[in-house]
Amino acid sequence: MRILVTGADGFAGQHLCELLRAAGDEVVEAHGPRAEGMSSAALNFDIADEAAVRAAMEKARPEGIIHLAGFSSVARSHGNPARVFAVNALGTVNLLTAARESAPEARVLLASSGEVYGPVPEGTRATEEQVLIPLSPYATSKRAAELAGQQFHHSYGLQVVVARAFHHLGDGQDPTFVVPSFAAQLRAIRQRKADPVLRVGNLDAIRDFSHVRDVARAYRLLLTAGVAGQMYNVCSGTGRTIRSVLEEMLVLSGLSVRIELDPARLRPSDIPSLVGAPDKLRALGWEPRHTVTDALRQVLGLSTP
């Protein structure tokens, strides 16, 4: 299948493109306007630029589209809501419009987020039918993108599937995110470039973590086997505190540090617990092949079994 991947230069995008090529798919990479080291074969445009998206889609003429491009930081989204909506919501509309015009038969997978659910009662797991209470500009913009996908499916027959991905880990993630932030600080401490003090935000939040390679496999499966117009959680179904993840990283690294709360790392509206139910995805045959420990070892730069 000829697949256009937007956000191919991002964290999940790089792993996904590797997976698709290994599976025999023809991949057309679309990178952001400020991408570095871009392949000459890749497309390069701002997803918020309607004309640029249309031109790229007309050139690519894909059979499948996996839309990963977007503003990805929940924390930073509070500082620039307008840009977040321009990229995540309007950018998705631009993509869907271009697909309707130049690739109307293509299957489209929109990568959304478990953040759209908002707070999930501790001890329970969010299902795709749950009422949504997004608490950040990021989450709200992702919900708007989902609605656009449903509208294009029902109004114009575009084959749109939505993947609500929960937290995923692995090598290549931006250090502004919590786990790679811990890893970067631990690396500096190990290299004696920093005092043995680890600055953290809220460690009591409960999150659902998966390995990025399992998430990439879920995206490919949903593109080919997901039911158009439907939402699918991409998650492990298991919740653990940020504190427990940090404690495991300390054990793996062999370092002893002092933990210090950094108010700058706290969010204006944090979610105490966010765990998803993966039953709908698993019904399609998906099962995780990697553990969170595998991902943590990669993030820390340790060898994996």
Side-chain angles (χ1 to χ4, degrees):
M1 182 183 290
R2 181 175 170 83
I3 301 175
L4 171 66
V5 179
T6 69
D9 52 325
F11 169 48
Q14 295 179 54
H15 290 276
L16 175 63
C17 290
E18 180 182 351
L19 171 77
L20 295 175
R21 291 192 173 100
D25 294 310
E26 179 185 358
V27 179
V28 180
E29 295 189 16
H31 295 188
R34 292 182 295 276
E36 297 179 358
M38 187 182 71
S39 164
S40 59
L43 301 174
N44 178 228
F45 58 88
D46 183 347
I47 196 68
D49 184 334
E50 181 180 7
V53 176
R54 288 189 181 200
M57 188 69 69
E58 186 172 354
K59 181 177 181 180
R61 299 278 178 172
E63 299 167 282
I65 302 166
I66 300 181
H67 180 42
L68 304 181
F71 190 107
S72 59
S73 172
V74 176
R76 287 188 290 134
S77 74
H78 292 278
N80 195 352
R83 178 59 180 170
V84 175
F85 273 82
V87 173
N88 290 354
L90 185 56
T92 298
V93 172
N94 291 341
L95 180 92
L96 294 170
T97 301
R100 182 189 174 203
E101 294 174 353
S102 298
E105 302 302 318
R107 298 267 302 176
V108 182
L109 179 72
L110 301 182
S112 184
S113 169
E115 290 280 338
V116 299
Y117 289 110
V120 176
E122 188 171 341
T124 66
R125 305 188 303 176
T127 67
E128 290 82 356
E129 293 74 32
Q130 185 161 320
V131 174
L132 308 179
I133 311 175
L135 294 183
S136 66
Y138 169 80
T140 309
S141 68
K142 282 295 189 179
R143 178 53 181 154
E146 290 184 356
L147 290 171
Q150 289 182 303
Q151 186 260 306
F152 271 73
H153 168 66
H154 292 295
S155 298
Y156 313 128
L158 212 60
Q159 300 178 70
V160 180
V161 180
V162 172
R164 287 176 176 161
F166 285 64
H167 289 66
H168 35 293
L169 305 172
D171 54 313
Q173 191 172 25
D174 191 284
T176 57
F177 290 87
V178 60
V179 169
S181 169
F182 292 161
Q185 292 183 71
L186 290 172
R187 192 176 305 114
I189 292 169
R190 178 180 293 281
Q191 296 171 352
R192 300 180 184 274
K193 295 179 180 178
D195 294 332
V197 177
L198 197 72
R199 292 171 175 80
V200 303
N202 178 18
L203 295 180
D204 296 322
I206 298 171
R207 294 293 183 266
D208 185 325
F209 294 99
S210 297
H211 196 296
V212 65
R213 292 178 185 172
D214 285 326
V215 173
R217 288 177 43 248
Y219 286 161
R220 184 177 188 273
L221 176 63
L222 289 173
L223 179 70
T224 57
V227 177
Q230 294 289 308
M231 315 286 174
Y232 293 84
N233 288 340
V234 179
C235 57
S236 70
T238 301
R240 57 186 296 181
T241 63
I242 304 295
R243 187 183 306 278
S244 75
V245 173
L246 174 56
E247 289 171 349
E248 183 173 357
M249 293 178 74
L250 292 173
V251 170
L252 289 171
S253 68
L255 294 173
S256 177
V257 303
R258 185 174 81 251
I259 307 299
E260 186 175 287
L261 180 65
D262 180 358
R265 297 173 188 266
L266 298 175
R267 296 178 181 177
S269 56
D270 206 358
I271 297 174
S273 180
L274 183 57
V275 181
D279 307 66
K280 193 172 177 180
L281 174 62
R282 291 193 175 206
L284 297 178
W286 178 87
E287 291 288 342
R289 295 178 182 173
H290 305 278
T291 67
V292 171
T293 300
D294 293 336
L296 294 180
R297 291 183 67 86
Q298 289 180 349
V299 172
L300 289 167
L302 304 174
S303 60
T304 55

